[in-house]
Structure formats: structure tokens, C-alpha cells
Amino acid sequence: MHSETRDLNLSETEGALAAAVLELVRHTREQDSPGPEHIARFALFSTEALLEERPELSRLLPQETLDLASGDPHHLTSIETGTQHGDVADELEHALWPEGCAGGYIQARIRGAVDGAPGAGPAPVFVAAGALNTGETFSAVAREGEDLRVGRDLIPELVAALCGSLGIDSPNARVAAPTDRKSTRLNS
């Protein structure tokens, strides 16, 4: 389990989702920072099911992924399904998800309030959320210059939009009432 998630008491399925989200977040943050309006969307697949259905894909996956997935029925493989610049809510509303995916992931840099705290000036905030068809969710958020914060429900509006896009109902995807939390701005 990743050090970022050690204290979250995650089930094996939640841990697999958290690992997939954190791997995608790390990959993005290690690369050159895309523009502030950048949105990326990934379908998440059970690695075991994907390789059973399409064994030839094992030649395309890194050996490290194959080693991690060996014997782990919860391991997830991500496949990028869309990258754009623009509006997160619009991207999720019009997203087409591949047949057989176990869930989805979206990341973006947005401007505005996240988690009830106003955004710091014009600097974008990095947000990411993953959801599985079985209802598990996981999210991450970081303001520029701050450490990544992770949890099941850090960005409820983004998680709810992702779950809605995937056509799943998740107890973790409830949008907070306006009196409980300031709204996360999904529009760039």
C-alpha cells in the first residue's frame, strides 16, 4: 500500500483504485506541467480480466505492471480515452467509456474553490478522481506548491460527476449540501 493511503483503512478494491489514481497522478506531475485548462480521462480495467480477454496486450504492458498484477485480482490498468482543454463537467457529460471497463479516472487543473477553501489567486489547482463500477471512489487534490492530499471524498462534486458519467451510483459520490461545503468549481 502507498504511504499516502496508509491511514485511510482501505479495502483491497479501494487500495487498488487508490494505487491506480496515485500512479496516474505521479505520472502527470513528473511530466512537464500541461496548461491550466488541461483535462485527461482514463478508463480503468481489471488487469486480470483485460489480459484474459486480450492476452496479446501482455506484450505492451511493462514487466513491472505484469509483476504487480500477477496474483492480484484487484490490480487495475489505465488506458487513456481522452485529453482536451476546456470544461471538466462538459467532458464528463459527453464522455464515452469503453465496454468492459471497471471504472474511470479524470484529472484536471481547475481554477476556483476546492474542498471549501478558495483557490489561491490565479494559480490552478490539480484535481483527480477515480471511480469503480462497484461504487468505490478515490480522489486527490493539490494546490500549486502544496503536498498532494488524498481520500475517498475530497472533491465530492467531481466524484459525483465522474460517477454520473460512468452510470454508477456510489455512496462516496454524494454532492455535499450547499450549507455543508462550498462548491467545487468544475468549470475552468
Side-chain angles (χ1 to χ4, degrees):
M1 186 166 291
H2 291 276
S3 62
E4 295 97 328
T5 63
R6 188 173 306 132
D7 297 329
L8 294 177
N9 195 27
L10 302 175
S11 69
E12 288 182 347
T13 304
E14 289 174 315
L17 177 59
V21 167
L22 291 171
E23 180 60 31
L24 288 164
V25 166
R26 266 191 211 95
H27 177 73
T28 300
R29 294 182 91 197
E30 287 172 1
Q31 294 181 346
D32 289 336
S33 178
E37 313 304 321
H38 183 261
I39 301 165
R41 187 169 44 88
F42 292 78
L44 301 175
F45 291 88
S46 158
T47 306
E48 183 178 76
L50 187 64
L51 292 176
E52 281 178 15
E53 185 176 319
R54 309 262 326 256
E56 69 275 11
L57 293 178
S58 66
R59 294 189 308 267
L60 301 175
L61 293 174
Q63 187 59 49
E64 179 183 3
T65 299
L66 295 172
D67 292 343
L68 287 171
S70 177
D72 181 359
H74 303 288
H75 189 273
L76 298 167
T77 294
S78 58
I79 298 176
E80 189 167 11
T81 57
T83 300
Q84 72 166 26
H85 299 274
D87 181 82
V88 177
D90 187 59
E91 169 69 15
L92 287 171
E93 183 178 331
H94 295 96
L96 298 175
W97 297 96
E99 186 177 322
C101 69
Y105 166 90
I106 190 152
Q107 66 183 33
R109 283 179 174 73
I110 61 173
R111 297 180 188 282
V114 173
D115 196 25
V125 178
F126 176 83
V127 294
L132 296 178
N133 297 338
T134 51
E136 295 84 1
T137 63
F138 197 78
S139 54
V141 62
R143 288 184 179 81
E144 191 147 332
E146 293 182 8
D147 289 338
L148 188 70
R149 292 183 303 148
V150 299
R152 291 178 182 95
D153 191 16
L154 291 179
I155 317 159
E157 291 84 358
L158 180 60
V159 170
L162 176 60
C163 288
S165 176
L166 289 161
I168 58 176
D169 185 29
S170 171
N172 293 339
R174 291 190 202 102
V175 177
T179 56
D180 297 333
R181 168 177 296 212
K182 291 182 183 174
S183 150
T184 299
R185 187 168 169 235
L186 293 181
N187 298 327
S188 306

